[in-house]
Amino acid sequence: QVQLSESGGGSVQAGGSLRLSCLASHFIYSTSYCMGWFRQAPGKEREGVAAIDLDGTTKYADSVKGRFTASKDNAASTLYLHMRSLKPEDTAMYYCAASRVFMTMTRDEYDYWGQGTQVTVSS
């Protein structure tokens, strides 16, 4: 089955940490060049947060640089997003996605999407 499944979201206070996980089907993980994390807050566009390429190279949105870290476990076909020093403005639904374009954070260049996991940060 072709799918992406996120987990790890929740509610935390500002300054706290969360780790999101995304389990990918073998088909997606083995045929994608780039895996990414996006988020969408109510009333806002879905925006790229982080991307990680085949060789582990990462890229981050300016708003999360130094606070979020993307990583992956190839043996487990799993993508991670370690989030620390969380802020109320990080509150959003977080999605993982897979692309056949190298190192991209452009939403339209992603082919597969998960259902999302909610992150809520209270002040």
Side-chain angles (χ1 to χ4, degrees):
Q1 187 174 359
V2 178
Q3 67 178 11
L4 293 165
S5 180
E6 303 95 335
S7 61
S11 296
V12 296
Q13 290 192 325
S17 300
L18 282 173
R19 187 185 77 164
L20 306 184
S21 300
C22 174
L23 176 63
S25 67
H26 176 71
F27 174 79
I28 289 177
Y29 203 86
S30 63
T31 60
S32 298
Y33 298 148
C34 183
M35 304 288 290
W37 287 99
F38 289 76
R39 66 186 181 187
Q40 187 168 18
K44 294 189 176 181
E45 295 280 325
R46 189 171 298 188
E47 62 175 355
V49 173
I52 184 165
D53 221 336
L54 280 178
D55 63 359
T57 302
T58 53
K59 182 178 180 179
Y60 300 95
D62 288 343
S63 58
V64 306
K65 276 181 184 175
R67 301 188 299 121
F68 290 12
T69 303
S71 62
K72 58 180 183 171
D73 182 339
N74 291 331
S77 300
T78 301
L79 178 70
Y80 300 100
L81 185 68
H82 300 255
M83 307 184 295
R84 65 179 190 275
S85 301
L86 283 161
K87 304 175 182 180
E89 51 263 44
D90 295 318
T91 295
M93 184 71 78
Y94 283 71
Y95 300 88
C96 72
S99 173
R100 293 175 181 167
V101 176
F102 285 105
M103 189 42 74
T104 177
M105 287 176 61
T106 301
R107 184 181 60 191
D108 292 345
E109 292 180 337
Y110 279 77
D111 307 293
Y112 301 102
W113 294 84
Q115 294 299 306
T117 186
Q118 178 68 37
V119 172
T120 302
V121 185
S122 58
S123 57

